[in-house]
Amino acid sequence: LISLVEGVPLEFISSIGEHNGFEAWRRLCADQRRRLEKNQLQRVEGLLNPEFGTGVGFRAKWLAWERQLEMQGAALGGALSDTVKIAVVRRK
């Protein structure tokens, strides 16, 4: 396992001790899972609290937001309903 990682994951695994590969793998997976969940939560929060601005830039930012919603559908547990999209846009 040590030969497959570098940087922070290597330091993380090295701190666990020798001859404990399964525990190192378990902890590394748990650490990565927390990071993924944190990143996913930040993306969802950003999608639910977009910055559209006003005037000419509004439409471009709104279309980019719609595109991000499509790409992040899995992180949201599926697509947002039109009602929720309208509520988010109206709030802004």
Side-chain angles (χ1 to χ4, degrees), residues 14-69:
S14 297
S15 69
I16 294 170
E18 292 184 28
H19 307 294
N20 211 355
F22 180 73
E23 181 62 14
W25 177 255
R26 189 187 69 75
R27 287 189 192 180
L28 183 62
C29 288
D31 183 60
Q32 292 300 313
R33 190 176 312 112
R34 280 191 298 273
R35 288 174 191 234
L36 280 172
E37 289 169 354
K38 180 181 175 186
N39 290 343
Q40 187 178 35
L41 182 59
Q42 288 173 337
R43 284 193 307 267
V44 170
E45 288 172 345
L47 290 172
L48 296 177
N49 192 23
E51 292 295 328
F52 294 122
T54 58
V56 178
F58 174 84
R59 182 164 170 77
K61 289 180 181 178
W62 174 66
L63 291 171
W65 176 70
E66 287 266 324
R67 189 174 54 252
Q68 288 175 344
L69 283 174

